[in-house]
Amino acid sequence: MTLGVSLGVVVGYLVVALALGLVAYRVSETTAEDYYLASRSIGTLVLLFTTFATLLSAFTFFGGPNLAYAAGPEWLVVMGTLDGVLFAVLWYVIGYKQWLIGARNGYVTLGEMLGDRFGSTGLRALVAGVSLLWLFPYVMLQQMGAGEALVGLTDGVVPYWGGAALITAFMILYIGVAGLRGVAWTDTLQGLLMLSIVWVAAAWVLSAVGGVGAATEGMLAARPEFGSFGGGTYTPGFIVSTAITIAFGVTMFPQINQRFFVAKSGTVLKRSFALWPVLVLLLFLPAFMLGAWAAGMPIEVPDGANVLPVVLNEYAPAWFAALVIAGAMAAMMSSSDSMLLSGSSYFTRDLYRPLVDANASERREAWIARVGVAAFATLAFVASLFRPGTLIEVGDTAFSGFALLAFPVICALYWPRTTRTGMVAGVAVPQATYLLVVLSSVLPVVPTLPRTVLGGWDVALGLMVLSGALTVGVSLFTAPTEESDASRFAVVSD
């Protein structure tokens, strides 16, 4: 099978996705609510799969198998079980309440919701600024993953920068023509594709190596420590910290948090989060176990390469390996297009309109959003060329940054005594501290600060506790402002 066929599969997939986006564009309305939230009309299947495809990315499709290959299959426990269940619970605790509040008051973004509740443009801008800050490395992560994917698929014929540039150009084009309706439809296609081909890939590889028993025996012979739970990378601190920061971080991701507003009914929302853990486990089980089993296979994984393409190139036909890479790129695009769409809504509605031009027309706002998407994606592409860390490292940095928003938001949703000053303190202080920790690892001028303490416990976990304590403590010692209105969040759930 030739290189042309492999690339043809990937490009063909991109064309199908773009065609679906164009169809969605033709039936969309020219309102901000339709562009960003599909007029709050999403049903169970599309909501479940758009959330699923949006959340799954290069971090899970390549980073997860890589970690399982290097450190053992316990990553399945972290992401497939602990994180899957915890996110479903948070989807109910945070997402359902947000849906009730958003449906009543017409909110489009998290910053808009909090800014209105506390009568504060500054808080609205702070939440948007923090969200865009951590969105940047996660968009960059997808471009890194796409670059590495095409290098693996083409044995280096397509360079790293070429793969990253391809996905960047596609994302800018796609978001330019399709709003959330197109993104959600494409996500559904991408989610179904990912789920299907990863199981076929596992079956194909297992049949080639002699089945599950032979693959497991080979893995244990090469890496006996993979047969026992924990140890090495998987300290209790690492497992618990990672599961908690990722689950809480996911709820605050703009592209995920905004999906809490789009369900057409409460029943749709409840069905979706109830089915979530099952769907996640169905994808992670074959993907991560392929990574772990690969440790016992007679293959060579070059430094910095992703293990999944190497395994497929060895045990599956080229056309199928290309299809899997197309699925992986689908995972990256389904995350990236949603990130850029949500990021543009945060920029235009929470920064541009309240701070620059409050009377901007919807047409002008739409153009500002498109220009912002192009600029943001291009800057992230340039940054991705420097490869500042592994996929897991870059992804974990973003998850932890978003996780620090969760406790202040929970306080705002459920505790009417929460004040604007408490919210600002609970958001700003932990974020500034965590930013220093991150910068200390990349900038020599910043004194080195540890990312983990006491055997693998992530400092972000401690900063999450600090964010909640500051929100509650400062709120108790400050009075609500005249502009605050707790009744905006007074909704009753069934």
Side-chain angles (χ1 to χ4, degrees):
M1 198 62 66
T2 65
L3 172 64
V5 173
S6 299
L7 286 177
V9 171
V10 174
V11 173
Y13 173 77
L14 298 181
V15 171
V16 171
L18 185 59
L20 198 57
L22 289 171
V23 173
Y25 171 73
R26 290 178 62 85
V27 301
S28 297
E29 302 171 11
T30 57
T31 64
E33 187 171 81
D34 194 84
Y35 185 70
Y36 292 126
L37 301 181
S39 297
R40 306 179 200 272
S41 62
I42 300 295
T44 302
L45 178 67
V46 177
L47 178 60
L48 186 61
F49 272 93
T50 188
T51 306
F52 177 67
T54 296
L55 189 55
L56 305 176
S57 63
F59 181 81
T60 49
F61 225 100
F62 287 140
N66 289 351
L67 186 57
Y69 172 75
E74 290 96 325
W75 189 239
L76 179 63
V77 176
V78 177
M79 291 293 291
T81 306
L82 294 176
D83 210 53
V85 172
L86 188 52
F87 175 66
V89 172
L90 291 172
W91 196 343
Y92 175 75
V93 173
I94 297 175
Y96 186 38
K97 189 74 179 285
Q98 268 195 229
W99 178 78
L100 290 167
I101 295 170
R104 191 179 78 170
N105 300 313
Y107 300 129
V108 173
T109 69
L110 177 65
E112 185 178 12
M113 185 182 81
L114 295 173
D116 187 49
R117 155 69 177 86
F118 293 98
S120 172
T121 300
L123 176 62
R124 183 175 180 176
L126 175 63
V127 171
V130 166
S131 300
L132 292 172
L133 172 68
W134 298 120
L135 204 57
F136 189 83
Y138 212 69
V139 171
M140 185 173 64
L141 171 71
Q142 315 313 312
Q143 293 160 319
M144 291 169 59
E148 293 172 3
L150 281 181
V151 168
L153 179 66
T154 64
D155 289 328
V157 173
V158 175
Y160 168 81
W161 68 265
L166 174 65
I167 197 172
T168 302
F170 181 83
M171 288 189 304
I172 292 173
L173 175 64
Y174 192 78
I175 297 300
V177 298
L180 182 70
R181 194 186 310 278
V183 169
W185 287 3
T186 310
D187 282 350
T188 303
L189 169 69
Q190 291 166 335
L192 290 168
L193 176 68
M194 283 185 283
L195 199 56
S196 303
I197 64 174
V198 76
W199 275 100
V200 175
W204 209 311
V205 172
L206 287 174
S207 67
V209 301
V212 173
T216 305
E217 287 177 10
M219 177 188 76
L220 294 177
R223 302 291 298 272
E225 68 274 21
F226 282 14
S228 57
F229 184 79
T233 300
Y234 298 108
T235 64
F238 174 82
I239 291 175
V240 174
S241 301
T242 306
I244 290 177
T245 55
I246 288 179
F248 278 81
V250 164
T251 62
M252 294 295 112
F253 262 127
Q255 71 275 18
I256 297 297
N257 188 273
Q258 223 165 16
R259 275 160 175 71
F260 297 158
F261 290 131
V262 305
K264 68 179 179 182
S265 70
T267 302
V268 166
L269 208 65
K270 292 174 183 176
R271 283 190 197 130
S272 300
F273 60 66
L275 291 170
W276 178 260
V278 178
L279 190 60
V280 166
L281 195 58
L282 280 175
L283 178 74
F284 287 170
L285 177 63
F288 294 171
M289 285 312 298
L290 273 176
W293 283 322
M297 296 176 186
I299 58 173
E300 290 290 334
V301 182
D303 289 341
N306 294 308
V307 65
L308 205 53
V310 175
V311 171
L312 291 170
N313 282 335
E314 182 68 25
Y315 294 104
W319 66 267
F320 184 74
L323 192 60
V324 175
I325 298 304
M329 291 188 70
M332 298 167 215
M333 287 185 296
S334 61
S335 297
S336 300
D337 55 16
S338 298
M339 288 178 215
L340 292 173
L341 183 65
S342 295
S344 71
S345 68
Y346 277 49
F347 174 72
T348 55
R349 298 184 71 87
D350 297 335
L351 295 176
Y352 179 78
R353 186 178 280 278
L355 298 178
V356 179
D357 186 359
N359 299 316
S361 65
E362 289 211 352
R363 181 181 176 81
R364 181 173 180 79
E365 182 180 323
W367 276 110
I368 292 293
R370 287 173 170 83
V371 171
V373 164
F376 194 88
T378 303
L379 288 173
F381 164 66
V382 173
S384 74
L385 299 180
F386 294 94
R387 302 195 201 194
T390 66
L391 298 179
I392 289 290
E393 289 168 345
V394 175
D396 188 51
T397 297
F399 279 126
S400 296
F402 281 113
L404 303 184
L405 287 172
F407 281 153
V409 171
I410 291 173
C411 288
L413 290 174
Y414 287 98
W415 190 38
R417 181 67 180 79
T418 307
T419 67
R420 182 179 67 188
T421 310
M423 287 293 293
V424 171
V427 172
V429 175
Q431 289 289 342
T433 307
Y434 183 63
L435 186 59
L436 273 179
V437 173
V438 174
L439 291 178
S440 74
S441 64
V442 294
L443 295 180
V445 295
V446 180
T448 301
L449 298 170
R451 293 287 294 270
T452 59
V453 295
L454 302 176
W457 291 90
D458 195 328
V459 294
L461 202 60
L463 292 175
M464 285 179 64
V465 175
L466 176 64
S467 71
L470 280 173
T471 306
V472 173
V474 174
S475 292
L476 288 173
F477 286 97
T478 55
T481 59
E482 290 184 0
E483 297 83 2
S484 295
D485 183 2
S487 69
R488 304 290 287 173
F489 283 11
V491 292
V492 178
S493 58
D494 55 26

